[in-house]
Amino acid sequence: MPHSSTVRISKKAKETLQELSSKSGATMLYVLDRAIENYRRRAFLEEVNRAYGRLRADEKASKEFDSEIAAWDTTLMDVL
């Protein structure tokens, strides 16, 4: 059995978790694990988007990035 911990959640969250579990046929632990993983992925992508925004806001860095991408794009034509 995987390691487990006790975590306090609101009554509303527990009711939602039970409902999702019941509708999907999955355990509440599985539903909660998937929800946490989806949240982690979204947080990661949001940080990537913020970093990309900072890159594009820096004119010099943006031009350097575009030049590097253009150089790598030519490798797609080498048929390897």
Side-chain angles (χ1 to χ4, degrees), residues 15-68:
E15 290 169 354
T16 302
L17 185 57
Q18 288 172 324
E19 182 181 336
L20 291 168
S21 173
S22 177
K23 285 182 178 180
S24 69
T27 66
M28 289 196 308
L29 178 59
Y30 178 82
V31 173
L32 187 57
D33 283 348
R34 294 304 311 150
I36 291 169
E37 176 60 13
N38 287 337
Y39 184 89
R40 185 195 66 77
R41 289 175 182 209
R42 184 175 39 185
F44 171 77
L45 291 175
E46 288 171 355
E47 177 55 31
V48 168
N49 283 335
R50 283 190 295 273
Y52 188 76
R54 288 189 301 270
L55 170 73
R56 288 304 183 188
D58 180 333
E59 189 175 326
K60 181 181 177 198
S62 187
K63 284 180 182 179
E64 289 173 1
F65 177 79
D66 290 341
S67 294
E68 184 173 344

Side-chain angles (χ1 to χ4, degrees), residues 56 62-80:
R56 288 304 183 188
S62 187
K63 284 180 182 179
E64 289 173 1
F65 177 79
D66 290 341
S67 294
E68 184 173 344
I69 293 298
W72 279 105
D73 279 349
T74 62
T75 64
L76 294 175
M77 304 298 277
D78 65 9
V79 192
L80 290 180

